[in-house]
C-alpha cells in the first residue's frame, strides 16, 4: 500500500529536545504521525504520514464508551553510525495483532505495519535522542472509530502511530525503585484481557498505583487475582528475581503481558551463563527469601523502563529491602548488555535489532 506523505512547512516544525532529564517520559511529541483507517468495505486504507495534531472524533465514538482500544510500546535507538535501531519490532507487531484478536478488532498486515513504522521513524529521524538512556518511543494505537452507543465490536477503526523522544521512565534512572505488593486490588485474571495491551488494563491499575504512590512507592507489584499469592508483574514491566543465583520470572499465566523485554532478558541471561527459570513465585517465598538473603536481586523489565532495579518491596505494611537497596551485579550486567545491543554498540547475536537509514 502506498503511504501518502503530506508535507509540513519548515516554519511549523517544533524545536528539538535532547536532554533526557528534560524529556521525561511521553511529554514531548514529534512533528508527524501515521494514520490509517479501516472500514469493512475497504479494509485498511488511507495510510498517511501527516502533521501531529489533535484528532476530531464524535463524542459518541465507541472507543470513548467501551474502551475498544489497543496499543504497543516500542523504541528506536540512535546507533553510532547515525542509523535508527529498532528493537524486535516484529514482536511488537505480532503482539499488536494478538491484542487485536482478543479485542475483536481487525488485524493489520504485519509487513504493512512495519513499513509504516520504519517510514515514519525515518522521516522523523532528527527526533531520535542521541544520549545513552534515551530513545524514540513509538506508540502504535488502534481505536474503535464507529459512532454509536450499543455495546458491540465497532465496524470502523482508526490506527495511528505517534512518536515521543523519551528519557528514563522512572526519575530514579538506574537507581532502585520501590514496589508495593497489592493484595487489595487486582489488575487482571486468567480469561480476562491481561495479556492484551489494551487501555482498560491500565485504567484498572490506577487506583492501586495512586495508593502505592501516596505511601511513597513507585509502582504496584501485582499478585494473581485468584489467591492474591503469586507475583505476576508490575504496572508497566515484567518482574524478575535472582533466587539462589537463578534469574527467575513468573511463568506466563494468561493474565500477564507477554513482555518482549522479559523474553529478551531470559535469552540474554542464559547467553551470559546465568541459570534461568519461569515459574510460579509466591509472595511468601519472596518475603522469606529476601529476609534469608536467598533473593539477592530484583528488577523490572519493559520497553519504557528498560531494566529497572528494585530496592524495596512493601507487603502487608512491612518493607523488605533487597541488596541493601543497591542495583545488583546481575541486573547491572543485563542492563548494560541489553543497552549495548539496543544502541548498536555491541554485536547482536540474537538478530533482535533492525537498523534503518534516516531520511
Ligand atoms: N507489563 C506491562 C503491564 C506493560 O505495560 C509492559 C510494557 O509494555 C510490560 C509488561 C513489558 O513489556 P515489553 O517488554 O514488551 O515492553
Ligand atoms: C511500555 O513499556 O511500552 C509500556 O507499555 C509502558 C507504558 C504503559 C508506559
Amino acid at each position: 500500500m502506498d503511504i501518502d506523505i503530506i508535507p509540513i512547512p519548515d516554519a511549523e516544525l517544533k524545536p528539538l529536545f535532547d536532554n533526557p532529564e528534560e524529556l521525561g517520559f511521553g511529554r514531548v511529541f514529534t512533528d508527524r504521525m501515521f494514520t490509517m483507517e479501516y472500514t469493512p468495505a475497504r479494509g485498511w486504507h488511507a495510510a498517511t504520514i501527516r502533521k501531529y495534531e489533535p484528532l476530531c472524533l464524535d463524542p459518541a465514538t465507541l472507543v470513548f464508551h467501551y474502551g475498544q482500544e489497543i496499543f504497543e510500546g516500542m523504541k528506536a535507538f540512535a546507533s553510532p553510525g547515525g542509523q535508527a535501531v529498532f528493537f524486535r519490532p516484529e514482536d511488537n507487531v505480532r503482539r499488536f495483532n494478538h491484542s487485536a484478536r482478543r479485542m475483536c478488532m481487525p488485524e493489520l498486515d504485519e509487513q504493512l505495519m512495519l513499513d509504516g513504522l520504519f517510514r515514519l521513524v525515518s522521516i522523523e529521524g532528527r527526533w531520535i535522542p542521541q544520549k545513552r538512556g534515551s530513545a524514540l518511543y513509538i506508540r502504535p494505537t488502534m481505536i474503535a472509530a464507529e459512532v454509536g452507543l450499543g455495546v458491540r465490536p465497532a465496524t470502523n477503526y482508526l490506527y495511528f502511530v505517534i512518536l515521543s523522544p523519551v528519557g528514563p521512565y522512572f526519575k530514579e534512572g538506574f537507581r532502585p525503585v520501590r514496589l508495593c505488593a497489592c493484595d487489595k486490588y487486582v489488575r487482571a485474571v486468567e480469561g480476562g484481557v491481561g495479556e492484551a495491551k489494551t487501555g482498560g488494563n491500565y485504567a484498572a491499575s490506577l487506583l492501586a498505583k495512586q495508593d502505592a504512590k501516596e505511601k511513597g512507592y513507585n509502582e504496584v507489584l501485582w499478585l494473581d487475582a485468584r489467591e492474591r499469592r503469586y507475583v505476576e508483574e508490575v504496572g508497566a514491566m515484567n518482574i524478575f528475581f535472582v533466587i539462589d543465583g537463578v534469574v527467575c520470572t513468573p511463568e506466563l499465566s494468561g493474565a500477564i503481558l507477554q513482555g518482549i523485554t522479559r523474553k529478551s532478558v531470559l535469552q540474554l541471561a542464559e547467553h551470559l551463563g546465568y541459570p534461568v527459570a519461569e515459574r510460579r513465585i509466591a509472595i511468601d517465598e519472596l518475603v522469606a527469601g529476601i529476609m534469608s538473603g536467598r533473593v539477592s536481586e530484583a528488577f523490572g523489565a519493559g520497553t519504557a523502563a528498560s531494566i529497572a532495579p528494585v530496592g524495596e518491596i512493601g507487603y502487608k505494611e512491612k518493607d523488605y529491602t533487597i541488596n541493601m537497596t543497591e542495583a545488583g551485579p546481575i541486573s547491572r550486567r543485563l542492563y548494560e548488555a541489553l543497552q549495548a545491543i539496543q544502541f548498536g554498540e555491541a554485536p547482536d547475536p540474537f538478530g533482535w535489532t533492525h537498523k534503518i537509514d534516516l531520511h
Side-chain angles (χ1 to χ4, degrees), residues 74-88 121 125 127-138 166-167 261 302-306 335 338-345 352-356 358:
M74 54 206 287
K75 276 179 174 170
F77 302 84
S79 84
Q83 290 173 305
V85 185
F86 278 76
F87 187 70
R88 310 191 79 166
V121 170
W127 283 97
I128 304 175
Q130 300 295 314
K131 290 206 178 104
R132 187 73 179 250
S134 53
L136 188 67
Y137 187 78
I138 306 166
V166 296
T261 320
T303 298
S306 183
Y335 172 73
L338 183 66
Q339 291 257 317
I341 294 176
Q342 290 177 327
F343 279 86
E345 295 163 2
W352 286 340
T353 52
H354 182 97
K355 293 198 175 107
I356 60 159
L358 303 179

Side-chain angles (χ1 to χ4, degrees), residues 60-68 144-155:
T61 305
L62 282 168
V63 65
F64 295 138
H65 302 276
Y66 309 121
Q68 200 191 9
E146 189 195 349
V147 173
L149 289 184
V151 177
R152 61 175 180 274
T155 50

